[in-house]
Amino acid sequence: MLWIASAFGLASGAWYSHRYAWWRPTVNYAHPRILMYHMVREPIPGARFNKMRVPPSTFEAQLAYLQENHWQFATMKDWAEGSLNDRSVILTFDDGFADNYEQALPLLEKYNACATLYLVVYRHENDWAVRKKCYHNNRELVKESKLSDDQVREMLSSGRIELGSHTLTHPDLRRLSPEEKQEELHQSKTLLEETFGQAITSIAYPFGLFDERDQDLAQSLGYRTAVTTSQGIDPLISCPFALRRIKVSGKEGMHAFKLRLRTGVRGWHS
Ligand SMILES: [Zn+2]
């Protein structure tokens, strides 16, 4: 019996080690952590994109943990201005879901936190999920309420939200002509600035997909930072037009969150 127990122990230890890669070294706390969120809401049973839905109670536990452990909340603007301290954490929200206003904003206020919101200009009735994979055609994300312009204005007037661009239509930038790329990056910046009266200096590439021309274009159009969906933690001296982020998954608990915060990734692969 004993050998069965120890074999089981070894196997589960290996599984744990592979899944959580706890042995990965801690990334220097001088390097800011950029966290990537989408929705703050309860999961939908059986839905495909529940990873993108972080329950409000989980989000609150994460904010409480960050506050208790002396993380400094900051925005991408702080990154660009070089005004980050050690243990800086930048919360980012992609796409513009209405729950960012309904659920996330009150919690940001409660924990005296701030965030960068990457807004798609044409976000209503826009089924961008099918652009990445054509079988993502059940309109799951289209059915989710998106932020109205008034909700965005209220978020900005809280003083806790920096607005960034997530392009006009959420395309796969790599497939666009130079003219189309220019329009997505330039027009979104201009329209958001006109509509909301805040300078737009950061962009999130849709689906995290981009090529070198997009980086150059972002820089030439006056963006100062650009974030991807590649996982990891970059030092402040990195190229600011391909910054990695830490994915926050609605399907993971605090253990994975703490590991990602410390190492940039959760396990062996991701
Ligand atoms: Zn997106």
Side-chain angles (χ1 to χ4, degrees), residues 38 94-95 166 170:
H38 287 84
D94 283 15
D95 300 338
H166 200 28
H170 207 291

Side-chain angles (χ1 to χ4, degrees), residues 58-209:
T58 305
F59 183 57
E60 175 158 18
Q62 291 166 353
L63 290 175
Y65 175 81
L66 292 168
Q67 190 185 61
E68 278 160 23
N69 289 275
H70 312 291
W71 286 88
Q72 312 287 314
F73 295 107
T75 63
M76 291 308 297
K77 184 164 176 270
D78 299 319
W79 202 108
E81 290 174 353
S83 58
L84 294 175
N85 302 315
D86 275 11
R87 292 180 87 86
S88 283
V89 62
I90 300 171
L91 312 181
T92 65
F93 289 88
D94 283 15
D95 300 338
F97 292 99
D99 56 59
N100 295 180
Y101 168 79
E102 291 152 2
Q103 305 286 346
L105 183 63
L107 291 169
L108 294 175
E109 286 182 334
K110 182 171 175 184
Y111 290 90
N112 198 21
C114 51
T116 299
L117 168 66
Y118 289 112
L119 196 63
V120 179
V121 175
Y122 302 128
R123 59 196 172 278
H124 302 286
E125 280 304 309
N126 176 353
D127 196 3
W128 55 73
V130 292
R131 250 168 246 149
K132 189 168 180 199
K133 292 188 175 122
C134 56
Y135 60 82
H136 287 169
N137 60 355
N138 66 351
R139 295 179 52 84
E140 181 184 327
L141 296 178
V142 185
K143 286 183 229 155
E144 292 282 355
S145 303
K146 307 299 185 306
L147 289 164
S148 68
D149 285 359
D150 280 343
Q151 286 173 323
V152 174
R153 281 190 194 95
E154 256 192 77
M155 291 176 83
L156 298 184
S157 68
S158 74
R160 301 188 175 278
I161 304 295
E162 176 203 10
L163 197 59
S165 168
H166 200 28
T167 72
L168 287 179
T169 66
H170 207 291
D172 177 347
L173 289 171
R174 302 168 309 171
R175 296 186 187 169
L176 301 189
S177 68
E179 296 73 29
E180 290 168 326
K181 281 177 188 290
Q182 166 88 18
E183 193 178 342
E184 288 283 349
L185 270 62
H186 180 61
Q187 278 280 91
S188 60
K189 186 177 192 299
T190 314
L191 279 172
L192 290 172
E193 286 175 344
E194 283 172 8
T195 310
F196 300 109
Q198 195 182 85
I200 306 294
T201 59
S202 190
I203 184 165
Y205 303 116
F207 312 110
L209 302 173

